[in-house]
Amino acid sequence: MKTRDLYKVLGVQKGATREEIRRAYRKLAREYHPDANPSDGAAEERFKEVQHAYEILSDPERRREYDEGPRAFFGGTGGPTGATSADFSDLSDVFGSFGDIFGNASRNRPRSTRGENVTVSVNLKFKDALEGVTTRIAAPVEEACEPCRGTGAAPGTAPRSCPECLGRGVRSRDQGFFALSEPCGRCGGEGTVVEKPCSGCGGRGRVKRNRQVTVKIPAGAKDGMKIRVPGRGSVGSKGGPAGDLYVVTRVAEHPVFERKGDDFLIEVPVSFVEAALGAEVEVPRPGGGRVKLKLPAGMQDGKRFRVRGAGAPRAGSRGGGAGDLIARARVVVPKKLTRREKEILEALAEERDEDVREDLLRRSREAETA
Ligand SMILES: [Zn+2]
Ligand SMILES: [Zn+2]
């Protein structure tokens, strides 16, 4: 079948309104409908042709694609999905249930498909994740093939309407009173066939490429965080919308800070003298610089200090703010003493004359006699 001008098929001007197209279609459909022309092959062909033309010209999106030519078949990001159906219900008052049958058939047709979502991970330095960073990553996505502009047809040629189903993507089989629809085997339901496949993509219309994508990592990004970049996944086929890109963060570990939610944990060595006498000490801060901690005299091992707001910025939360820095004191006992240090500590022991296990032994005794 030669690809005919769809406006000529319906006998309307190129700038015809929707109403004019609808009226022309109704008139021709009535004239060539198989019910009105039993066993007239030519009328049936004409009927299918009229139907195909109406299906495209009655849908504003598809009409625009048709008017613009094959260029409209590639590279779409976003845009409405193509799985629209012409409004055949117009005919139901004339032909009863026929309208519904054709309506469903065109709806089943996978004319265009959305591109796949693509997931890629990004390695981040501790500092970049904490402060936020704009980075470029290579995402392996399907892109529209350039030589064929996404059509799959060799340059200089174009996909043509499938001769088997006349571009409808479905075939109707007459079974007595019923007309059953099934996907067209020739075009796989797409409605178009490629005679000479493009050598660049083997007729697929898409090629795998590493696309450079700029991604904004929010301050305070956690390890394993999933960032969605809409419309930057694989392009759709036949004008379908693009999929999304998901970027998963991999944050490098820090030698001293351990992340717990939006808080950072740090273990702080404290000498047994500082623990006993009390002290003011400095500890590193996750964002750089230091914070002061005031250790009270007589501080015990494992005591926790919370520095509010010195943790990670709350990435993605509207309330903003930041987590805390939690410092845990670890009392360090000297492994080696000089002779003089030993003398001092022995003098201290004599001075204190204490039995630190006295309470332990008393409670144990009480339990036995109770
Ligand atoms: Zn077909
Ligand atoms: Zn190609």
Side-chain angles (χ1 to χ4, degrees):
M1 182 189 125
K2 292 184 289 294
T3 311
R4 285 190 53 188
D5 184 319
L6 300 182
Y7 293 98
K8 280 188 185 145
V9 169
L10 292 182
V12 294
Q13 297 291 320
K14 197 158 182 286
T17 64
R18 281 192 81 173
E19 186 51 37
E20 283 166 349
I21 288 170
R22 203 172 74 103
R23 241 181 287 130
Y25 166 65
R26 285 177 63 124
K27 183 172 159 289
L28 291 169
R30 221 181 267 130
E31 194 178 332
Y32 294 107
H33 195 279
D35 279 2
N37 304 273
S39 49
D40 181 346
E44 197 186 330
E45 285 300 296
R46 185 86 174 89
F47 178 69
K48 285 177 179 171
E49 208 181 24
V50 164
Q51 212 172 20
H52 172 61
Y54 180 66
E55 196 180 316
I56 289 170
L57 297 184
S58 64
D59 178 337
E61 179 66 17
R62 296 183 67 187
R63 183 178 178 183
R64 189 180 55 76
E65 282 181 10
Y66 173 76
D67 289 345
E68 286 173 5
R71 179 178 288 273
F73 280 123
F74 79 100
T77 51
T81 117
T84 49
S85 68
D87 185 10
F88 288 111
S89 58
D90 291 354
L91 275 183
S92 55
D93 55 336
V94 188
F95 298 111
S97 61
F98 260 100
D100 292 327
I101 290 172
F102 290 123
N104 288 336
S106 72
R107 217 168 294 135
N108 289 339
R109 187 168 127 198
R111 199 173 57 89
S112 68
T113 46
R114 183 179 184 273
E116 299 83 3
N117 292 339
V118 174
T119 302
V120 68
S121 62
V122 60
N123 293 320
L124 297 170
K125 288 181 188 144
F126 177 85
K127 190 171 183 286
D128 288 344
L130 187 64
E131 293 171 358
V133 68
T134 298
T135 183
R136 277 172 80 72
I137 54 168
V141 299
E142 297 275 5
E143 286 197 327
C145 173
E146 271 165 35
C148 69
R149 299 188 305 180
T151 64
T157 71
R160 58 182 201 121
S161 190
C162 173
E164 188 79 26
C165 62
L166 303 176
R168 290 175 56 227
V170 288
R171 269 192 335 200
S172 300
R173 247 186 322 125
D174 284 333
Q175 298 250 315
F177 272 121
F178 303 100
L180 295 179
S181 301
E182 55 189 13
C184 171
R186 172 82 187 268
C187 63
E190 296 209 338
T192 55
V193 287
V194 167
E195 219 94 288
K196 240 177 100 189
C198 162
S199 58
C201 60
R204 290 175 61 238
R206 304 193 303 170
V207 284
K208 198 137 210 163
R209 251 214 208 110
N210 266 333
R211 183 195 286 160
Q212 296 292 314
V213 181
T214 303
V215 185
K216 198 167 176 289
I217 309 289
K222 288 187 183 81
D223 183 64
M225 191 174 180
K226 220 172 183 185
I227 298 163
R228 178 169 168 260
V229 191
R232 299 297 277 157
S234 289
V235 299
S237 69
K238 302 271 190 300
D244 298 332
L245 178 67
Y246 286 93
V247 179
V248 179
T249 56
R250 293 279 164 246
V251 182
E253 279 189 19
H254 192 279
V256 306
F257 296 111
E258 187 194 337
R259 184 146 182 183
K260 280 272 179 332
D262 291 323
D263 297 337
F264 282 112
L265 255 58
I266 186 173
E267 199 156 80
V268 184
V270 173
S271 81
F272 78 107
V273 178
E274 286 171 330
L277 299 178
E280 209 170 81
V281 301
E282 284 188 332
V283 298
R285 198 189 168 97
R290 291 171 180 190
V291 283
K292 277 203 171 90
L293 292 183
K294 212 168 146 59
L295 311 180
M299 191 206 73
Q300 300 300 305
D301 183 66
K303 186 172 171 61
R304 283 162 169 255
F305 299 86
R306 186 176 285 269
V307 185
R308 302 225 172 258
R314 296 203 166 93
S317 87
R318 262 169 232 293
D324 304 331
L325 172 64
I326 298 165
R328 195 174 60 208
R330 194 165 54 84
V331 175
V332 181
V333 177
K335 289 182 179 142
K336 259 186 177 171
L337 296 171
T338 64
R339 179 191 290 268
R340 187 167 140 69
E341 284 164 349
K342 220 170 160 184
E343 282 168 10
I344 292 168
L345 289 180
E346 277 163 1
L348 176 66
E350 208 167 303
E351 176 69 22
R352 285 188 66 82
D353 190 25
E354 67 176 351
D355 185 353
V356 290
R357 285 167 297 280
E358 191 185 355
D359 183 56
L360 175 76
L361 295 169
R362 180 179 52 76
R363 283 187 294 137
S364 167
R365 251 195 328 271
E366 277 169 10
E368 279 165 30
T369 56

